[in-house]
Amino acid sequence: LQLCIMTWAFDPKAYAKVMMHSCKYSSDAVMGILVGTSTGKALKVVDAMPLFHTHALAPMLKIACMLIEEHCREVGDLEIVGLYHAAASGVPDMSRVKPIADKIAANFPAACVWAVDAAKLGERQFALRGMCHSKEEWKPISADAVSLGDEALQHTSRAISELKHLEIVDFDDHLGDASLSWLNASLFKGDALAELGPADLPQTGAD
């Protein structure tokens, strides 16, 4: 099976938000959007936007994506680069999110999809399994093509052990209470995760 030839780097806060969202709603299927930047051979996931812990209804997803695109324009140099998802069973199932992933890939050809592997989170390992869109197909992303520092893994586990994941807000929560911000701008205020920068991208040897 052919693997993708790009490299990926996660901002520690983006990774932590994915894990916190999946832990807060561990008995539900969760989904969110990833935003970042791409140079063609390398993709940086800069932020994660937690969306749903219920069934992702198409109208709500469309509104959320429009708001995310608006946010990306305001921040500058960001675009929707993929999505993440977690299954209540703990077993990743791409088929559930593939129609959404295909739509993202139509706008961003190098789109990526990441499934949460909850067992690895407990072991303080990188707990995402990736697929990338290449030549009209979804192909697995090799673990050694992804970078995230050990500090980010340690602080993500610490934040969850301190129950900080209960503070994360997704779009579903916002629809229930409009005063809650699903951009989670102050989630890491005063936390060590706020000080961590993204790890260097892995060297592929493709240059």
Side-chain angles (χ1 to χ4, degrees), residues 39-53:
T39 60
K41 286 186 179 177
L43 190 149
K44 289 187 178 181
V45 177
V46 175
D47 203 357
M49 306 293 184
L51 293 188
F52 305 112
H53 59 273

Side-chain angles (χ1 to χ4, degrees), residues 17 33 47-52 60-61 63-69 71 168-175 177-185 187:
K17 283 167 81 174
I33 294 290
D47 203 357
M49 306 293 184
L51 293 188
F52 305 112
M60 292 299 102
L61 179 64
I63 291 168
C65 286
M66 285 169 62
L67 292 170
I68 291 169
E69 286 169 351
H71 172 73
I168 200 163
V169 174
D170 66 12
F171 195 63
D172 270 338
D173 295 325
H174 172 74
L175 291 173
D177 180 352
S179 70
L180 299 174
S181 172
W182 56 287
L183 293 176
N184 295 284
L187 181 64

